[in-house]
Amino acid sequence: MSESDRKVPVDKLRWVCDPSVFTFNSTSDISGLEGSIGQQRALTSIDFGLGMSSHGFNLYLAGEPGTGRSTTIESMLRKRTMDSPPPPDWCYVNNFETPDSPLAISLPAGKGAEFADDMQELLDYVRSNIPAVLESKEYESDRVSIIEQYQERNGEIFSQLEQDATEQGFALQRTVSGLVIVPQKEGRNYTQEEYEGLDKDERERMDGVGRELTEKLNDALRQVRENEKGLRDDLARLDRELGISAIGHHLDPLKEKYAGFQKVLHYLESVQEDLLLNLEDFKPQTPPPQIPGLKLPRQEPTFERYEVNVVVENDPDSGAPIIFESNPTYNNLFGRIENVMQMGGVATTNFTLIKAGALHRANGGYLIVDAREVLLNPFAWESLKRCIRNSEIRIEDVLEQYRFMTVVSLKPEPIPLHAKIIMIGSLWIYHLLFYLDPDYRKFFKVRADFDSRIHRTPEVLQDYALFVAAHCRKEGLLPFSPSGVAALLEYAARQVEDQERLTTQFMELSDTIREASFWASRGGGQVVDRKWVRKTIDEKIYRSNRIEERIQEYLADGTILCDIDGAVVGQINGLSVLTMADYSFGRPSRVTARVSLGRAGMVNIEREVKLSGPIHDKGMLILTGFLRGRFGNDKPLSFSASICFEQSYEGIEGDSASSTELYALLSALSGLPIRQGIAVTGSVNQHGQVQPIGGVNQKIEGFFALCKAKGLTGSQGVMVPSINERNLMLNDEVVEAVEAGRFHIWSVSTIDQGIEILTGVPAGEPGADGRYPEGSVNFLVDRRLREMMESMHRFAVEEKEAAKLEAPKGDPA
């Protein structure tokens, strides 16, 4: 096949989208996109994961940023939850038995706030009516009657005791230490001298009577204490009856209203009991004593314990919640217990300060988080796994285990978890979690893989047009014409370097749509056509290609040596790609090879100075395998060769230059010069087959820019692997130059095809005797290797003979 037959036809240099495939005048005439574009594999996985209700079937959406992961899952969930029942509301209430452990109560959607209002109404009623009842004449009359009854009983007890004491010459008197029985004489107490002046028998009689009376006094005091207890009980019973009559007719309707909720009924019973036990709190409070110059606040009893803290409130008219948590910190995910600073810096809290997290709001629905953010936030990942494992949401003070001193805090009752967790992240994070975290595969069993490219089909083209229409309508941008959409699709194909596929990096496409609308508006356009899309792409390049232009200047003025004309032995132009953040460009580089006698074999200068990576080193070793397989079957290979990227001062990686290096080596061995107007790219295997590489468009355009700067001669071009033909999406300038015959693109599948184009000499196929045709490239290489082998053998013999002649007599040598 001749050199011209290896040229890539102009129609294969890029895919051109025909605007006639679109039937609209502008995207304003069509509806927006519903759903996603392509990604059938991911959609199937998501549908399966959302349908599985078994434990652990949570989802991980893997893919590159901008591939529509968030938009797709949101769209699917909106459709799925449209007709689904809303989850219940959740409230925290006071636990009257254990105040440190607030109770969690579940109510149907919308009933949580209603229950809170009912309890607030009850509290308002109690606070306004209980004091009025306690101050009523009827209550005061009953209270006075009970007190008077007990006072009368106590009076009778002491009256009888006083009568007994008087009859026996004693009196009941009150002292500082209490009531005592003292003997009397003539209406007065005995003096100490009078008592001691009594005879023994009289004193003993008097002492015995005193003891009996003292026992009666003790009995009387016991009866009085029992009466006081009975008084308190009767007063409490009066208050209880009063409280029941006052709040019962208001609390009973609540019990009927929430009859189907046992936990609520139990709570209402606790509220009633606590109200009845603390009726004193509703009485008017006396002001505290004031200190001159210091006004103390009046201490009012708090009734927060009767309030309802609605932590999750769902709309009864909407479906299951869909929660995107953009900042998945521990508190934002699992809730928190807030504190209030009091006077003196003391922090206090109660169940009304419990705040819900994203998991609470997503309970009964779906929680979507970014995998990287979850892993970066302390405690978030481990706590999330614990919630999934135990199927409950527990609000805890995560720092408690790290404190030296235990701080009194609340332990709210955990809430059952029934939510589907969806993490969005890169495939790299997925693999890290899968292999490094043994629990991960238990809890996230479904992976939805979003591809960064999709096959180009007529249906996909129409979907992209709908995507453009939806984006323009949503952001108020200028509509696109069919030619504008076609140019955008060509740009989408260029992004993935494939004539049969389109990029799914919708973030990049969205930015391009916005920028094209901007330039069209500035230019006075009413629609965005191909001209404005092309200007957008050119402007993007211009904003980022300063380094590329500087390198092109060095190449053009000869600072960086790179010939584009003539022919040189052992010298060739290779192509590499430099990436500067979001911009990549091709850079031509001179590759040289020198060959000499020796046994060192291939010497990679980059490797010797540690400027090459392992993949590049592998490519160099493949060259040795190729030479041995082709030329070492009938002779040992004895040579030394050095290969170098000239004027390269940074690291080199990749094997895309291995075919280039092999061409330079074959030229150096054969003595045939290589055309300097041709740049080469492509990797090679040990059989001499040229393999595909990446960045083919940037490499071609980089060499074309150099040739254009130095002057196009019509014989210049780039040689690429045949497999890379489908990856060609060259810019308009290169395509026009190829069409005009001022530049050329060749494609080859073997080293032999490439060396023929570079040298103009046939590569040569081995005959039946294994020899190559005389004058062919392979013949010249084989002959040179044989000559070098023979020269090495001859030098070895001569050195051995010389050593014998120089050896002194008697020397065993």
Side-chain angles (χ1 to χ4, degrees):
M1 188 177 291
S2 64
E3 175 184 332
S4 59
D5 294 332
R6 298 289 175 194
K7 291 182 180 179
V8 180
V10 175
D11 59 349
K12 290 187 177 182
L13 295 180
R14 63 177 299 164
W15 166 68
V16 178
C17 181
D18 187 0
S20 64
V21 300
F22 305 112
T23 57
F24 53 83
N25 293 323
S26 73
T27 54
S28 60
D29 301 334
I30 59 178
S31 60
L33 177 68
E34 295 183 2
S36 58
I37 300 178
Q39 307 292 1
Q40 190 57 43
R41 186 193 309 275
L43 296 179
T44 302
S45 300
I46 293 174
D47 184 66
F48 166 75
L50 297 179
M52 285 293 294
S53 58
S54 300
H55 185 266
F57 281 84
N58 297 298
L59 290 86
Y60 186 99
L61 309 188
E64 298 179 11
T67 53
R69 298 167 299 175
S70 300
T71 305
T72 300
I73 189 64
E74 181 180 11
S75 175
M76 294 185 70
L77 291 179
R78 295 294 178 198
K79 294 179 181 178
R80 192 177 188 88
T81 59
M82 190 175 298
D83 301 323
S84 61
D89 293 347
W90 282 96
C91 312
Y92 273 109
V93 297
N94 184 42
N95 186 343
F96 294 98
E97 297 177 0
T98 312
D100 289 344
S101 301
L103 300 175
I105 292 180
S106 173
L107 290 169
K111 294 292 184 180
E114 186 176 340
F115 179 51
D117 292 340
D118 290 341
M119 290 303 300
Q120 186 61 47
E121 183 180 349
L122 172 65
L123 180 59
D124 292 341
Y125 173 83
V126 170
R127 295 183 67 178
S128 62
N129 285 272
I130 291 294
V133 174
L134 292 175
E135 294 175 354
S136 66
K137 292 183 179 180
E138 181 182 357
Y139 170 76
E140 188 63 30
S141 175
D142 293 341
R143 181 180 176 85
V144 169
S145 175
I146 293 173
I147 294 173
E148 287 179 349
Q149 290 177 9
Y150 279 95
Q151 287 178 346
E152 184 177 347
R153 293 177 188 175
N154 293 339
E156 292 176 355
I157 293 172
F158 286 113
S159 177
Q160 182 64 41
L161 181 61
E162 286 180 350
Q163 182 179 350
D164 293 344
T166 301
E167 292 175 353
Q168 299 187 48
F170 282 81
L172 179 64
Q173 293 184 357
R174 185 179 300 276
T175 65
V176 176
S177 59
L179 295 174
V180 295
I181 299 293
V182 295
Q184 295 282 304
K185 180 182 180 180
E186 298 177 357
R188 58 178 179 80
N189 294 342
Y190 267 89
T191 64
Q192 185 67 27
E193 292 79 5
E194 291 174 340
Y195 176 76
E196 292 177 354
L198 295 175
D199 58 27
K200 180 179 180 182
D201 293 338
E202 182 63 18
R203 279 202 310 271
E204 289 179 355
R205 184 192 68 79
M206 188 178 294
D207 291 342
V209 173
R211 284 193 295 270
E212 291 177 2
L213 292 175
T214 301
E215 290 179 0
K216 289 182 179 182
L217 175 60
N218 292 334
D219 291 339
L221 291 174
R222 280 194 294 269
Q223 291 180 21
V224 169
R225 285 195 294 269
E226 290 177 359
N227 288 339
E228 289 177 351
K229 181 178 181 298
L231 173 62
R232 288 194 298 271
D233 292 343
D234 286 348
L235 291 176
R237 189 177 302 108
L238 175 64
D239 290 348
R240 184 178 185 86
E241 292 173 356
L242 173 70
I244 291 176
S245 64
I247 67 175
H249 68 278
H250 202 86
L251 198 59
D252 290 341
L254 289 182
K255 294 180 180 179
E256 295 177 5
K257 181 177 181 179
Y258 298 99
F261 305 96
Q262 292 300 320
K263 205 165 187 178
V264 176
L265 294 179
H266 178 75
Y267 170 69
L268 292 176
E269 292 289 346
S270 300
V271 169
Q272 176 177 310
E273 189 64 26
D274 191 76
L275 283 171
L276 297 176
L277 292 175
N278 296 278
L279 287 176
E280 291 293 328
D281 290 347
F282 296 92
K283 296 180 180 179
Q285 303 295 312
T286 58
Q290 297 295 318
I291 301 175
L294 178 62
K295 186 176 181 180
L296 297 176
R298 184 173 181 177
Q299 296 295 326
E300 296 287 347
T302 175
F303 300 101
E304 286 182 340
R305 61 184 182 276
Y306 304 118
E307 295 180 5
V308 175
N309 180 12
V310 184
V311 293
V312 178
E313 184 177 1
N314 291 302
D315 187 353
D317 298 325
S318 62
I322 304 170
I323 305 298
F324 283 83
E325 182 50 64
S326 59
N327 184 24
T329 62
Y330 179 87
N331 289 336
N332 287 349
L333 280 178
F334 311 106
R336 63 189 182 278
I337 303 174
E338 297 180 343
N339 292 275
V340 176
M341 300 300 294
Q342 301 287 356
M343 295 179 61
V346 179
T348 62
T349 187
N350 57 64
F351 73 95
T352 63
L353 298 176
I354 298 174
K355 305 300 179 182
L359 269 178
H360 295 89
R361 298 192 299 273
N363 205 9
Y366 307 89
L367 174 65
I368 304 172
V369 293
D370 184 88
R372 179 176 176 273
E373 294 293 333
V374 172
L375 295 175
L376 285 177
N377 280 290
F379 315 113
W381 174 240
E382 292 299 327
S383 299
L384 179 61
K385 291 191 299 179
R386 191 178 304 115
C387 286
I388 299 174
R389 182 188 300 111
N390 300 330
S391 297
E392 65 179 21
I393 313 170
R394 187 180 295 273
I395 302 178
E396 297 176 312
D397 182 2
V398 72
L399 298 177
E400 183 177 355
Q401 58 185 315
Y402 297 101
R403 295 193 181 104
F404 291 106
M405 298 178 62
T406 302
V407 178
V408 177
S409 183
L410 299 180
K411 300 291 184 183
E413 181 182 7
I415 293 177
L417 175 62
H418 303 286
K420 187 74 72 173
I421 312 299
I422 301 168
M423 290 210 306
I424 300 177
S426 66
L427 193 60
W428 178 70
I429 293 180
Y430 172 84
H431 286 295
L432 283 178
L433 289 173
F434 188 87
Y435 289 110
L436 298 180
D437 191 336
D439 292 331
Y440 172 76
R441 62 192 74 179
K442 300 178 185 177
F443 305 137
F444 290 86
K445 298 182 179 181
V446 182
R447 182 182 85 185
D449 236 336
F450 280 76
D451 199 350
S452 59
R453 59 187 69 193
I454 58 174
H455 287 279
R456 174 172 56 82
T457 64
E459 294 77 16
V460 167
L461 296 182
Q462 300 301 324
D463 286 343
Y464 268 81
L466 295 176
F467 166 75
V468 175
H471 202 74
C472 293
R473 190 172 293 113
K474 178 181 178 181
E475 300 193 10
L477 306 176
L478 291 179
F480 275 57
S481 68
S483 67
V485 176
L488 185 68
L489 287 168
E490 293 171 12
Y491 178 69
R494 160 83 178 207
Q495 291 300 100
V496 294
E497 293 192 332
D498 198 320
Q499 298 180 5
E500 300 297 327
R501 291 181 173 84
L502 301 173
T503 182
T504 57
Q505 293 280 355
F506 295 108
M507 182 173 63
E508 175 72 18
L509 294 179
S510 298
D511 290 341
T512 304
I513 293 171
R514 297 184 186 102
E515 293 179 29
S517 175
F518 167 80
W519 290 115
S521 298
R522 174 170 286 190
Q526 300 300 315
V527 295
V528 180
D529 55 19
R530 178 180 289 273
K531 174 181 67 175
W532 299 116
V533 175
R534 287 304 316 159
K535 179 174 177 58
T536 298
I537 297 172
D538 292 341
E539 290 291 337
K540 279 188 175 184
I541 294 174
Y542 178 73
R543 294 196 298 268
S544 305
N545 72 342
R546 182 181 64 85
I547 302 299
E548 179 187 17
E549 288 186 352
R550 184 64 53 85
I551 292 177
Q552 288 291 344
E553 291 175 4
Y554 290 152
L555 287 165
D557 62 22
T559 302
I560 300 177
L561 300 178
C562 188
D563 296 333
I564 60 169
D565 201 6
V568 180
V569 175
Q571 179 176 297
I572 191 171
N573 291 324
L575 299 172
S576 59
V577 174
L578 297 182
T579 300
M580 301 291 181
D582 60 341
Y583 183 69
S584 300
F585 59 92
R587 176 201 168 180
S589 299
R590 174 181 287 180
V591 179
T592 58
R594 300 299 299 269
V595 179
S596 65
L597 295 178
R599 292 189 174 88
M602 299 286 296
V603 176
N604 178 10
I605 294 179
E606 267 69 34
R607 180 184 180 186
E608 296 300 315
V609 296
K610 296 180 175 57
L611 279 178
S612 64
I615 298 177
H616 182 262
D617 295 339
K618 176 185 176 182
M620 292 295 297
L621 295 175
I622 288 174
L623 303 189
T624 303
F626 170 80
L627 293 176
R628 288 173 178 168
R630 174 165 291 192
F631 303 109
N633 292 325
D634 57 352
K635 59 185 174 299
L637 298 183
S638 299
F639 71 97
S640 293
S642 61
I643 299 180
C644 177
F645 272 76
E646 303 292 349
Q647 292 183 286
S648 173
Y649 308 106
E650 63 276 343
I652 297 175
E653 180 60 307
D655 62 349
S656 62
S658 56
S659 67
T660 308
E661 293 162 335
L662 181 55
Y663 291 135
L665 182 60
L666 292 176
S667 171
L669 288 170
S670 66
L672 297 173
I674 289 178
R675 295 167 58 183
Q676 300 299 292
I678 300 177
V680 179
T681 184
S683 66
V684 66
N685 61 23
Q686 294 188 102
H687 296 284
Q689 297 172 318
V690 180
Q691 302 170 142
I693 44 82
V696 62
N697 295 293
Q698 290 91 340
K699 292 176 179 178
I700 293 174
E701 291 165 2
F703 189 69
F704 173 79
L706 173 62
C707 295
K708 177 185 175 183
K710 287 191 171 184
L712 292 170
T713 63
S715 62
Q716 298 148 338
V718 176
M719 191 165 63
V720 300
S722 298
I723 305 177
N724 280 121
E725 285 187 16
R726 64 172 293 172
N727 303 116
L728 295 175
M729 284 296 298
L730 297 170
N731 61 35
D732 295 339
E733 189 176 17
V734 176
V735 173
E736 292 170 1
V738 172
E739 190 172 11
R742 295 182 288 115
F743 198 73
H744 309 281
I745 309 295
W746 294 273
S747 68
V748 297
S749 56
T750 65
I751 288 296
D752 287 343
Q753 295 172 359
I755 198 67
E756 288 179 358
I757 296 174
L758 291 170
T759 63
V761 178
E765 294 289 334
D769 58 355
R771 296 185 177 277
Y772 295 99
E774 189 171 351
S776 65
V777 176
N778 288 328
F779 172 83
L780 296 174
V781 172
D782 185 73
R783 186 179 67 181
R784 178 71 182 281
L785 289 172
R786 193 177 299 277
E787 291 173 352
M788 295 173 74
M789 183 269 295
E790 292 173 352
S791 297
M792 286 291 295
H793 178 69
R794 184 170 61 253
F795 287 142
V797 173
E798 292 176 354
E799 288 180 357
K800 189 174 181 180
E801 293 295 332
K804 287 182 179 180
L805 294 175
E806 293 177 1
K809 293 182 180 180
D811 193 319

